[in-house]
């Protein structure tokens, strides 16, 4: 059976587990602590990052982009009959998503409105691009959920959690993205792609009182951070 090595809040891992869940592929998962990485993990992860996929033959694959492409190669496609150009374009839109996982983490972890606005401005540019690309839906390429939908799932899922808790909607000005988000969430896939304690961990990290969102995203507040911000790249 395929094995995934993971950190419980990692959006890159959720992209991988999303692909496995969408294709009904059985797998086992092992969680590690990024501040105490075991030696066996460092021996198979050249960059010291999750996710890692270990094949049934014991071969380790790192980098989420490479992992999802491997999964796609050994399973039936979610959307059959795509041309080489269409598959390449889908990979490119998937890369665009994964490039914004860390920026979204930084946005959510912002301690004050200034930091939040700064990070959100960059993140919103990606949403603008996908808003212009989306058609009538319900999914990225039409009626069937495909690889691009899986790549954007971590971003869309986390944005909904932010809205549910703080009332702030990252997609307020992006109606097509909002409809796409709703369609993906209604598949029930997000719940299948994260750990049982994901929500608790997510709230403690991104929606705690020391974050702008955790305090309700009040743009009129005056707030002085009491602590230095954490290194987001080591937490996502």
């Amino acid at each position: 059976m395929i094995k995934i090595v993971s950190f419980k809040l990692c959006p890159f891992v959720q992209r991988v587990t999303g692909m496995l869940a969408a294709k009904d592929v059985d797998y086992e998962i092992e969680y590690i602590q990024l501040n105490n990485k075991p030696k066996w993990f460092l021996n198979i992860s050249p960059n010291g990052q999750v996710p890692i996929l270990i094949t049934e033959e014991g071969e380790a694959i790192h980098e989420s982009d490479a992992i999802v492409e491997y999964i796609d190669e050994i399973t039936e496609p979610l959307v059959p009959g795509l041309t080489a150009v269409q598959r390449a374009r889908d990979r490119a839109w998937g890369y665009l998503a994964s490039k914004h996982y860390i920026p979204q983490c930084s946005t959510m972890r912002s301690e004050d409105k200034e930091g939040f606005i700064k990070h959100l401005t960059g993140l919103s540019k990606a949403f603008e691009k996908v808003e212009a690309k989306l058609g009538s839906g319900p999914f990225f390429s039409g009626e069937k959920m495909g690889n691009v939908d899986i790549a954007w799932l971590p971003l869309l899922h986390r944005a909904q959690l932010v809205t549910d808790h703080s009332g702030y909607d990252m997609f307020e000005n992006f109606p097509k993205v909002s409809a796409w988000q709703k369609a993906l969430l209604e598949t029930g896939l997000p719940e299948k792609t994260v750990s049982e304690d994901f929500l608790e961990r997510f709230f403690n990290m991104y929606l705690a009182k020391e974050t702008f969102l955790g305090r309700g995203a009040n743009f009129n507040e005056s707030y002085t951070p009491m602590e230095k911000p954490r290194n987001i790249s080591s937490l996502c």
Side-chain angles (χ1 to χ4, degrees):
M1 183 182 295
I2 287 174
K3 180 177 181 178
I4 303 298
V5 183
S6 171
F7 170 62
K8 289 188 175 182
L9 282 178
C10 182
F12 297 92
V13 173
Q14 188 178 15
R15 179 187 182 188
V16 170
T17 55
M19 178 71 81
L20 292 168
K23 294 194 172 197
D24 293 321
V25 177
D26 291 332
Y27 65 96
E28 61 178 309
I29 191 163
E30 180 171 349
Y31 297 105
I32 64 169
Q33 297 296 326
L34 294 190
N35 59 358
N36 186 25
K37 300 171 185 176
K39 184 177 179 181
W40 65 262
F41 169 74
L42 294 173
N43 288 340
I44 62 175
S45 177
N47 56 17
Q49 297 175 345
V50 294
I52 293 288
L53 182 147
I54 302 175
T55 69
E56 293 182 351
E57 294 75 29
E59 299 287 341
I61 304 173
H62 67 286
E63 295 291 348
S64 62
D65 289 328
I67 291 172
V68 295
E69 288 174 18
Y70 167 77
I71 295 169
D72 215 27
E73 288 182 1
I74 65 171
T75 59
E76 293 296 320
L78 292 174
V79 182
L82 296 180
T83 67
V85 170
Q86 288 172 324
R87 291 195 299 273
R89 286 175 175 170
D90 280 357
R91 286 195 296 271
W93 280 102
Y95 298 157
L96 180 64
S98 62
K99 288 178 181 178
H100 287 85
Y101 293 167
I102 297 299
Q104 187 187 47
C105 290
S106 298
T107 302
M108 296 184 300
R109 187 63 191 169
S110 297
E111 295 184 332
D112 52 41
K113 62 184 176 183
E114 289 78 15
F116 179 77
I117 292 171
K118 176 183 177 181
H119 290 301
L120 184 65
T121 298
L123 185 61
S124 293
K125 293 179 180 178
F127 300 151
E128 289 175 4
K129 292 174 182 177
V130 76
E131 176 78 11
K133 177 65 176 178
L134 286 167
S136 57
F139 300 110
F140 183 84
S141 297
E143 293 295 324
K144 292 185 177 181
M145 182 172 61
N147 291 4
V148 180
D149 302 287
I150 303 301
W152 285 81
L153 176 64
L155 293 166
L156 302 178
H157 181 207
R158 285 159 168 75
Q160 184 61 52
L161 296 179
V162 166
T163 301
D164 291 343
H165 179 82
S166 71
Y168 185 84
D169 185 0
M170 292 184 180
F171 305 141
E172 181 179 5
N173 297 318
F174 307 111
K176 288 185 178 180
V177 175
S178 183
W180 181 33
Q181 176 194 47
K182 183 175 184 293
L184 271 175
L185 295 179
E186 288 179 347
T187 66
L189 197 59
E191 293 79 8
K192 299 177 182 179
T193 60
V194 294
S195 65
E196 292 182 357
D197 59 348
F198 172 80
L199 290 181
E200 178 183 358
R201 290 174 175 269
F202 182 86
F203 291 153
N204 288 339
M205 175 59 65
Y206 299 112
L207 299 173
K209 289 183 179 180
E210 66 265 26
T211 69
F212 180 66
L213 289 172
R215 296 190 302 276
N218 179 8
F219 287 89
N220 295 317
E221 78 166 10
S222 177
Y223 179 72
T224 302
M226 300 299 293
E227 301 177 354
K228 293 182 179 179
R230 303 194 200 187
N231 183 353
I232 295 297
S233 63
S234 68
L235 297 172
C236 291

